Structures are given as structure tokens and as C-alpha cells.
């Protein structure tokens, strides 16, 4: 809903909290695909930022384990994920996020969603 509604701060916060960006809705679209389709360029940038952070962390861990070898390994995974391909279909009502938070996100109320996340709200999209 955050990507669909154009709430980039919420998108980035959800991704950093562990939201699965490969999940698809009933229309078989990922959050990234919705952001792109609806022209929410700041949300698309949030996905790219997150993918860059994940790739950098993975490269750092691989470099530490292999003494510097394999520095480019996570970049291809990040690139394929950024296309919005793959992934599982989300359950329509997993109960992971309270309905009032979902409704606030749908209304574009970033502050309410961010307050929920800052207050310990957890994202379990798997």
C-alpha cells in the first residue's frame, strides 16, 4: 500500500524492517511494480536505495569471509530483485500489520505508519 500510495519513507522503512519485496498481490504485481506503474519515482528510488544497502552489506560480509574475494556477488541478486520479477503471492489477510495501520498507509499517512514502526511495529511478510 505504501508503494501504491506513493509513501517513499514508509517503503524504505518497511524494506529495512524486513518486508519481502518479492511478494505479489492478487493482481500478481509487486510493490515495486505498482510504484513504477503509478509514477511514484521517489518510491522506486527507495527500493533502489534498499537494494544498494543490501548489496553493500552482502559484499562487505563476503569480502570479510573470503578475504576480499567475491565483491560483486549480491549485485546480480539485487539487480534481478529490482526488476520486480519472481516471488510468492501474498496472503490477503496475514494479520501481520494491524488494519488501522494498513488503512493509514492507504490514505498516505506516512507519519502514522512511521510512528507504528518506530513504536516497535514488526513486518512479517513471509
Amino acid at each position: 500500500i505504501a508503494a501504491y500510495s506513493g509513501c517513499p519513507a514508509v517503503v524504505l522503512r518497511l524494506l529495512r524492517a524486513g518486508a519481502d519485496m518479492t511478494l505479489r498481490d492478487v493482481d500478481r504485481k509487486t510493490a515495486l511494480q505498482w510504484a513504477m506503474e503509478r509514477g511514484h519515482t521517489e518510491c522506486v528510488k527507495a527500493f533502489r536505495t534498499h537494494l544498494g544497502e543490501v548489496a553493500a552489506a552482502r559484499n562487505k560480509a563476503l569480502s570479510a569471509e573470503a578475504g576480499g574475494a567475491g565483491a560483486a556477488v549480491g549485485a546480480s541478486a539485487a539487480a534481478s530483485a529490482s526488476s520486480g520479477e519472481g516471488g510468492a503471492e501474498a496472503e490477503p489477510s496475514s494479520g501481520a500489520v494491524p488494519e488501522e495501520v494498513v488503512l493509514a498507509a492507504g490514505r498516505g499517512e506516512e507519519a502514522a505508519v512511521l510512528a507504528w514502526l518506530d513504536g516497535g511495529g514488526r513486518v512479517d511478510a513471509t
Side-chain angles (χ1 to χ4, degrees):
I1 291 176
Y4 181 89
S5 301
C7 301
V10 174
V11 168
L12 188 56
R13 186 74 59 91
L14 289 169
L15 291 169
R16 287 176 175 164
D20 184 349
M21 66 183 279
T22 65
L23 292 178
R24 295 175 181 273
D25 65 7
V26 296
D27 294 319
R28 307 283 304 148
K29 293 183 183 181
T30 64
L32 176 58
Q33 288 171 322
W34 276 117
M36 292 170 65
E37 184 176 300
R38 295 180 59 87
H40 298 308
T41 56
E42 293 302 314
C43 287
V44 174
K45 287 179 186 176
F47 281 99
R48 288 188 179 137
T49 296
H50 176 69
L51 289 171
E53 292 169 355
V54 169
R58 186 175 295 146
N59 288 342
K60 183 176 179 181
L62 288 172
S63 292
E65 287 178 13
V73 171
S76 64
S80 66
S82 70
S83 70
E85 296 303 317
E89 188 168 328
E91 291 295 325
S93 63
S94 65
V97 179
E99 185 176 354
E100 60 269 15
V101 176
V102 172
L103 294 173
R107 292 188 299 267
E109 298 173 3
E110 284 189 31
V113 178
L114 292 173
W116 176 74
L117 288 166
D118 288 342
R122 304 282 304 164
V123 178
D124 183 10
T126 58

